[in-house]
Amino acid sequence: MNDETNNSLNENNPSNENQQNKQNENRNYTKGRLISMLVLAFSFSVAQSVLIALVVGQVLFGLFAKEQNNALKKLAKQLTD
C-alpha cells in the first residue's frame, strides 16, 4: 500500500512533469538537429556531384573542342594586364 501511495504521488508530482517535459523538449530538439544535419549532408553531396560533373565536362570540352574558348582567353588576358 505504501508503494502505491508513493507511485501515485510521484506521478502527480509537478517536478516529475517538468522533468518529463524537459526530456521531451530535448528529444524534439535532437530530432530537429538530426533532420537538419541529414538535409545539409544530402545537399552538400548533391552540390559536390554537380561540381565534379561540371569540372569533368569543362575539361573534356577543352580537350576536344575544335576552337579555343575566346571568353576564357579574354579573361586570362585581363587578369594578366
Side-chain angles (χ1 to χ4, degrees):
M1 175 115 180
N2 203 7
D3 288 335
E4 281 183 30
T5 308
N6 286 340
N7 286 339
S8 65
L9 287 175
N10 286 338
E11 289 174 0
N12 296 328
N13 191 352
S15 65
N16 278 346
E17 289 179 14
N18 287 338
Q19 288 175 351
Q20 287 176 351
N21 287 339
K22 287 180 184 179
Q23 288 176 349
N24 288 339
E25 287 175 10
N26 287 339
R27 287 183 191 141
N28 290 337
Y29 180 71
T30 303
K31 287 178 187 177
R33 286 188 61 168
L34 179 64
I35 290 170
S36 64
M37 286 180 2
L38 290 173
V39 167
L40 285 173
F42 177 75
S43 299
F44 280 124
S45 66
V46 169
Q48 183 181 12
S49 299
V50 169
L51 183 62
I52 289 171
L54 286 173
V55 167
V56 169
Q58 287 293 317
V59 168
L60 291 176
F61 181 77
L63 288 175
F64 298 112
K66 301 266 183 194
E67 53 190 58
Q68 292 181 348
N69 189 345
N70 290 329
L72 188 58
K73 200 173 179 182
K74 183 179 176 183
L75 176 65
K77 187 175 180 181
Q78 287 177 351
L79 290 175
T80 56
D81 288 343

